[in-house]
Amino acid sequence: MFRSFISKQEVKKESQKAKQTDAENHTQTCTCMDNMFRKVSNMVFGEKFLSKTIVNGKVVLMKKNVLDFNDLGASVLDRAHELLGKHISIQFISATHADRTSSEKVLRGKLGNPAILEDWISTITPLTAGESSYEVTFDWDEEIGLPGAFLVKNLYHSEFYLMTLTLENVPGHGKVHFVCNSWVYPAKRYTKDRIFFANKAYLPGETPPLLLPYREEELVTLRGNGIGKLEEWERVYDYAFYNDLGDPDDEDKVRPVIGGSLEFPYPRRGRTGRPPTEIDPKTESRLSLIESLQMYVPRDERFGHLKRSDFLAYGLEAVFKFLLPEFEAITDDTIDEFDSFDDVLKLYKGGIKLPKGPLHDRIRENIPLQVFKELIRSDGEGLAKYSTPDVIKANMSAWSTDEEFAREMLAGVNPVSIQLLKEFPPTSKLDAQLYGDQNSSIRSHHIEEHLDGLEVNEMLKAKRLFILDHHDPLMPYVNRINSTSSKIYATRTLLLLQKDGTLKPIAIELSLPHPDDEKLGAISKVCTPAKHGVEAGIWKLAKTYVAVNDSGVHQLISHWLNTHAVIEPFVIATNRKLSVLHPINKLLHPHFRDTMNINSTARNILINSGGILERTFFTGKYSIEMSSKIYKDWVFPNQALPIDLVLRGMAVEDENSLHGLRLTIEDYPYAVDGLEIWSAIKTWVEDYCKFYYTQDDMVKNDTELQSWWKEVREEGHGDLKEKTWWPKLESVKDVIDNCTIIIWVSSALHAAVNFGQYPYGGFPPNRPTLSRRLLPEPETPEYDELKEDPQKVFLKTVTPQLQSLLSVTLIEILSRHTSDEIYLGQRECPEWTMDAEPLKAFEKFGKKLKEIQERIVNLNKDERLMNRFGPVKIPYTLLYPSSEEGLTGRGIPNSVSI
């Protein structure tokens, strides 16, 4: 191993280390000259002129860049460093021959002679940031045998992204491939030289003994020491509470610390180590918006240059879209209001459109920056105008029908909340001592005319009654929310499964806490369907209050909490406890891509105090606090799709049915397509895990795996560590089950609740995010206004223009696939492992996903399956495995990456 570079604490050793460094530089300079001599000799006399064994290698890397451009300043400094004798060196570590000269008690692999990365100056990379390849030649020491790892030392000024290293002709072994995909900073930033291992997986007990010390040391580096502010070049994964959302210096932005307490439990997020605020030592200091772009996330977890470029493009475009309607509103009679649906539709009309044709194509082909390509894309959307959401493309009014309102609970953006009604009237689980009687006030006479002549009990037995129940989670917050400009109800919605397989809403209960005291229970109003008169206006408003509830629950719980937040602890624990050599690390790693970065961004601009989510959703400053209360009931095993469906009464176990489940609603697109994807994931995970774990004892004796699972429970999800539902990790089946859940949540579940946001919510009246007025009471001016102009009352009730634009802008960005997305069944590098059987199993997985996609396409053509497209004529595509970039409404990325 190379010795550490000079630090402030080692001043006395500076002279000695300087001499050491000079010696190393001299040795490596000689090596560089040897390489040059060898090249000339080979050209003149042929390769057999020299008696040494030569091994040729190729390094693929990407130099430091800014968006799509190479960092020219960094390139100049790097070249100046090279002229001064600086370089990048590579030194192989033997997996088969020990270093007998070491004074350590632990045997390590023998180190080969360092080789210099050749032609750094003369290798000219294109203007746009891309791959550069370099030759490396080694005077091969036969005592190295099989190289199991290599050390890389970067003596240049700037970092670079090391992608792969391939040796073509290792004596006795042939081709040896290393998949690196990591940023390498200048050596002065590290206490130990960077190490990369060959892309073969080993359980800890099967690791070549000579590589084991390196394996263990690398994990120690990744865990860090738990103290101090983390800098961008550090590679530390550690935990922290959500104590960086509020600002104690601003009374309106004070927020509780979320996580680490019985009152506010929460998953952990990545630690940054920023200092606390002066006023509150428990709160981490915040950064300005510009500074937050550099908030610490382990460098390899940060967005790639293409994704950063895409995000900048989306941001620039969002500014145009947001400002234009706001300027227009200034000249309007009712500032910050949509006066009519025509006002809303103006968002999608006009804009600055470039003419299509050869000129447009030539511009796109010749502009290198992804950011500019995005701004002039040709998907039909004009600059400064929003894309027309799918929900109004085919029909401008179908979104408001009862049929579509109900269908979106099965195939919309939040298809994970609807449940089978198991008892009537519905009951509450809220503490009666705190909230009084919160049971439902819906009775038989409210719904009997919709029951096809049957009794309620008969409908329950026939499993034809369903409920969307947002009552209990919201009721404890209704008074606090209604003390602000928002005005909401806690809602319950009953639905009937009709003979054609579609759902029909038959009653909506709107509940408020008792005005005298919350302990006195709920005051509720039951609304039923109506098509004419003021009753029709009231029914439409009742559906609106449900849509507002569902929008908040979807964004805070189904989307943020149940995918983004709960997965981050798995990302951290995997990097801290599972070596890159571990097969489970290799299995899960693609499903963690960009998650820490997107969550960091969310903490800065979305879920923070005064952030976009607080400004646009009815939950306001209680948003993350509310999701913390829901997290108390989060159960990891229940995130498995089959278990979730059974618990919600949407399926029953049936060994004679496909996937062992019989759906309660046969045409439930999310469940139908989801079970296909779930089954494919589980089969792939089973094939993979059984290759490495052939018996249960191997799982029990896997020290890294056991340490990983313990840390997930006790640290990452530490507030729930005492829960008895945590599954064991003692058998191969346990590994398969737990990994399948992690992959499902990271990929398919996130896709199902994320990429439909703009197709359905891009038209604010369909999924308003807040309501500003309660239901008008008879004999009031508001009630009279509802009689005269129900559309105007509706628009005065739902999200106003400013918040609508913020919300639409946000969900359009969240619903887009970036240009560097990697989808389920794909890998960043095709040679991600040297093990042939897992590669075959992964290929089988990819083929299965293609078959599933073809099956979904055919299902969407079957007009008998009305829930798959509904009155709005939107086919259910959210669980298509693949997609192109952009706003497609389909595609399952590997990870929670947006």
Side-chain angles (χ1 to χ4, degrees), residues 652-662:
V652 294
E653 294 181 5
D654 181 359
E655 61 182 17
N656 296 318
S657 297
L658 187 64
H659 309 304
L661 291 180
R662 177 165 47 84

Side-chain angles (χ1 to χ4, degrees), residues 383-678:
L383 182 62
K385 290 294 177 180
Y386 295 93
S387 301
T388 302
D390 291 347
V391 77
I392 58 170
K393 276 185 178 177
N395 188 307
M396 296 299 298
S397 59
W399 64 272
S400 64
T401 62
D402 287 359
E403 293 83 358
E404 180 60 23
F405 171 75
R407 186 195 75 90
E408 290 184 20
M409 300 178 197
L410 299 174
V413 71
N414 189 34
V416 296
S417 293
I418 190 171
Q419 303 176 61
L420 177 71
L421 184 66
K422 297 178 181 178
E423 57 182 344
F424 184 86
T427 58
S428 171
K429 294 181 181 178
L430 290 174
D431 187 342
Q433 291 187 342
L434 294 176
Y435 302 105
D437 182 4
Q438 292 290 335
N439 293 328
S440 177
S441 62
I442 302 175
R443 295 295 181 263
S444 298
H445 68 270
H446 291 120
I447 62 174
E448 57 189 7
E449 67 175 283
H450 302 289
L451 302 185
D452 297 339
L454 298 177
E455 298 291 330
V456 173
N457 287 337
E458 292 176 297
M459 282 293 184
L460 288 176
K461 290 179 182 178
K463 296 184 177 181
R464 291 184 59 191
L465 290 177
F466 295 81
I467 184 169
L468 183 69
D469 193 346
H470 293 319
H471 181 279
D472 281 8
L474 298 181
M475 179 56 81
Y477 285 88
V478 170
N479 269 345
R480 280 178 278 179
I481 291 170
N482 287 355
S483 67
T484 69
S485 58
S486 291
K487 301 291 182 284
I488 69 159
Y489 295 93
T491 64
R492 293 184 177 103
T493 306
L494 294 193
L495 305 108
L496 171 72
L497 178 61
Q498 302 183 104
K499 293 179 180 179
D500 64 1
T502 63
L503 288 173
K504 173 186 177 182
I506 57 176
I508 294 173
E509 182 181 42
L510 306 175
S511 299
L512 296 171
H514 196 285
D516 295 332
D517 192 333
E518 286 189 354
K519 293 180 180 179
L520 297 177
I523 301 296
S524 301
K525 178 180 180 62
V526 178
C527 303
T528 55
K531 294 186 180 297
H532 305 289
V534 70
E535 290 79 11
I538 289 174
W539 175 243
K540 184 172 184 177
L541 286 176
K543 291 193 296 180
T544 300
Y545 296 124
V546 174
V548 168
N549 277 191
D550 198 61
S551 292
V553 169
H554 160 259
Q555 198 64 268
L556 279 171
I557 311 304
S558 305
H559 183 206
W560 166 255
L561 173 64
N562 287 345
T563 63
H564 284 259
V566 300
I567 282 297
E568 186 160 359
F570 290 95
V571 181
I572 300 169
T574 300
N575 282 280
R576 285 170 59 86
K577 294 296 184 176
L578 295 179
S579 164
V580 292
L581 289 170
H582 200 289
I584 300 303
N585 183 309
K586 289 185 179 294
L587 172 67
L588 296 178
H589 183 263
H591 304 288
F592 298 152
R593 181 177 186 256
D594 292 341
T595 299
M596 291 187 73
N597 199 149
I598 197 64
N599 285 3
S600 171
T601 302
R603 299 200 311 274
N604 278 299
I605 63 175
L606 300 181
I607 65 172
N608 58 302
S609 58
I612 295 176
L613 194 146
E614 286 195 359
R615 293 180 63 189
T616 57
F617 283 83
F618 72 89
T619 46
K621 67 179 183 180
Y622 304 108
S623 297
I624 299 303
E625 178 182 328
M626 284 178 61
S627 74
S628 166
K629 301 295 186 182
I630 303 298
Y631 175 66
K632 287 183 178 181
D633 297 322
W634 181 81
V635 178
F636 175 74
N638 294 354
Q639 308 311 302
L641 177 62
I643 295 176
D644 168 62
L645 293 173
V646 170
L647 289 174
R648 289 192 284 119
M650 303 304 290
V652 294
E653 294 181 5
D654 181 359
E655 61 182 17
N656 296 318
S657 297
L658 187 64
H659 309 304
L661 291 180
R662 177 165 47 84
L663 295 178
T664 312
I665 300 176
E666 184 179 345
D667 182 17
Y668 181 6
Y670 164 73
V672 172
D673 298 355
L675 285 170
E676 291 282 345
I677 299 295
W678 168 271

